[in-house]
Amino acid sequence: MGCILGIESSCDETAAAVVDDALRVRASVVASQHELHGEYGGVVPEIASRAHLERIVPVVERALSEAGIALSEIDAIAAGVRPGLIGSLLVGTSAAKGLAWARGTPFYAIDHVAAHLFAGLLRGRDDDSGAAAEESLPALGLVVSGGHTSLFRIASAIDCTLVGRTIDDAVGEALDKAAAMLGLPHPGGPNLERLAETGDAQALRFPLPQLANPLDFSLSGLKTKLLYEIRGVPQGRGASSSFARSVDDLAPSRRADLAASFQRAAIAQVVDRLARAADAHPVRGVFVGGGVVANRTLRRELSAWAMERGVALVVPEPRYCADNAAMIAGYAQLRRRLGDAGDDLSVPAEAVSRLARGEPVVRGGAAAKRVQ
Ligand code: KG4
Ligand code: ZN
């Protein structure tokens, strides 16, 4: 069975999960803090780390009890150690290191972006079917989350090469800001999706950005266009500039049309970059992950594209798109399968992803250089 306990606390979700060596999720517990941050319109780091401290032990205990496994039967402990809010990361990372040290088990320090990338390989508790990951390799990988929009070429779970990334906002971040401009509450992405359902996605046309690296992304121009559409082009210059309208002046149907059009433009860019990457690097599969992949329109577009292109789409169930600990334990299992015995307990928590910076996913792993 060979179970790994995973812990995730990089942002505003306290999570623990148990995943076996066939990547079956025996238990996955996620305690969301949305209610604590809602009134501030975004995540407040100090509130997040305090809430992680209160929740981490009960969440780990619940994951073990739902999995029906004792801590003494766990083979290894994994934690998301980067990227994220440093105070939040420290809670989960310290808990995992403490458990690994006390139990004398291996410790896996996991890059959250790599975990999102391979979350599509997670399987149900009783799932004995499941295609091997190797059948979809070589592959492209795409992480679309609140903090990252990164495109990779994947030779193996530990050999990923960064080939494109956003030069400004991540797609999730842009959707959250668009939602705020349209007067929607935090968390923006899911609320924007709901409003978009009643709107006309053709109402407003956004151009596809053309960048020096054709596999890079840019969302800031789309955001500005949306802002001017909602509030009018600002009058005057610099600090004295002012908008003629507020979002409250928009008719409800126009708000829905703008939500649908903006969401459509963001998704069109994602599919366009994937198509360009598949032209440049012929592959057998595409691994996608990250919170935005929970979006139903994006999922539909991705599967239509993959089917037409004849590539295998490895996409997580919606609950494993958002931050969770099953993806952390799952990625540790993939590393273990490749003969990786884990990391030293001295590995620090870090604010930035090494993978998304174009560095190796694991110490001693194949160099993941940025190609451009
Ligand atoms: O992966 P994730 O949970 O956290 C990060 O690692 O960033 O991603 C969170 C992002 C947020 O920007 C959120 O608005 C977006 O994913 N998101 C969605 C949906 N659900 C979450 N965006 C669009 N549609 C959704 N259904
Ligand atoms: Zn994430």
Side-chain angles (χ1 to χ4, degrees):
M1 190 163 79
C3 285
I4 294 185
L5 170 68
I7 294 179
E8 153 66 33
S9 67
S10 62
C11 189
D12 60 344
E13 257 95 30
T14 318
V18 177
V19 175
D20 71 19
D21 54 12
L23 264 62
R24 285 181 297 232
V25 182
R26 319 295 283 204
S28 175
V29 177
V30 180
S32 164
Q33 302 176 7
H34 286 166
E35 80 288 357
L36 297 180
H37 304 284
E39 66 173 297
Y40 303 102
V43 178
V44 183
E46 187 57 29
I47 293 177
S49 47
R50 281 166 193 258
H52 284 307
L53 259 183
E54 286 167 8
R55 296 168 185 205
I56 190 77
V57 172
V59 164
V60 168
E61 281 173 344
R62 212 173 110 204
L64 290 170
S65 100
E66 282 184 14
I69 190 169
L71 187 57
S72 57
E73 296 170 280
I74 292 286
D75 279 10
I77 319 272
V81 302
R82 77 184 93 82
L85 302 170
I86 202 74
S88 293
L89 283 169
L90 278 172
V91 176
T93 302
S94 307
K97 286 180 178 177
L99 288 172
W101 181 76
R103 293 259 314 106
T105 58
F107 167 68
Y108 288 86
I110 302 296
D111 195 299
H112 181 99
V113 176
H116 270 309
L117 201 48
F118 293 98
L121 295 173
L122 293 170
R123 295 155 54 186
R125 193 178 170 121
D126 304 311
D127 184 347
D128 284 321
S129 58
E134 292 71 25
E135 290 171 17
S136 307
L137 297 174
L140 288 172
L142 176 68
V143 174
V144 203
S145 71
H148 295 86
T149 298
S150 312
L151 194 51
F152 301 91
R153 240 172 52 212
I154 302 174
S156 83
I158 58 163
D159 184 356
C160 304
T161 305
L162 183 70
V163 294
R165 64 179 160 189
T166 180
I167 60 166
D168 39 60
D169 284 11
V171 171
E173 185 182 1
L175 292 172
D176 290 343
K177 288 177 182 167
M181 286 184 222
L182 287 164
L184 298 169
H186 169 84
N191 286 324
L192 189 86
E193 175 176 28
R194 217 160 297 129
L195 179 59
E197 273 161 20
T198 58
D200 172 10
Q202 312 287 341
L204 183 65
R205 293 232 154 236
F206 293 86
L208 263 178
Q210 305 296 331
L211 306 171
N213 174 2
L215 302 184
D216 276 347
F217 299 75
S218 172
L219 280 301
S220 69
L222 273 61
K223 259 183 350 193
T224 308
K225 186 170 166 70
L226 179 69
L227 177 68
Y228 290 0
E229 202 59 42
I230 297 171
R231 307 202 54 191
V233 178
Q235 305 299 311
R237 289 223 178 131
S240 62
S241 71
S242 62
F243 290 103
R245 303 191 291 268
S246 99
V247 64
D248 299 330
D249 299 326
L250 285 186
S253 64
R254 182 66 180 160
R255 276 175 75 226
D257 287 352
L258 294 182
S261 301
F262 188 86
Q263 178 179 278
R264 176 175 180 269
I267 290 173
Q269 191 174 155
V270 168
V271 177
D272 173 76
R273 273 25 178 191
L274 260 186
R276 292 179 190 210
D279 287 341
H281 312 287
V283 290
R284 295 166 76 185
V286 175
F287 289 73
V288 295
V292 182
V293 181
N295 184 284
R296 286 188 296 277
T297 311
L298 176 59
R299 296 173 78 85
R300 234 185 2 254
E301 300 265 320
L302 285 172
S303 41
W305 173 81
M307 180 139 7
E308 196 190 323
R309 189 103 198 178
V311 295
L313 182 69
V314 186
V315 59
E317 283 177 39
R319 66 182 153 152
Y320 300 132
C321 291
D323 286 350
N324 67 89
M327 67 181 192
I328 301 289
Y331 189 66
Q333 290 284 15
L334 290 174
R335 283 179 52 186
R336 192 157 71 149
R337 264 190 207 171
L338 293 168
D340 180 339
D343 297 296
D344 196 88
L345 291 179
S346 62
V347 174
E350 289 175 305
V352 182
S353 165
R354 292 188 191 167
L355 183 65
R357 269 201 321 239
E359 293 172 17
V361 200
V362 292
R363 182 170 37 90
K369 288 185 296 302
R370 173 145 171 75
V371 280
Q372 208 179 345

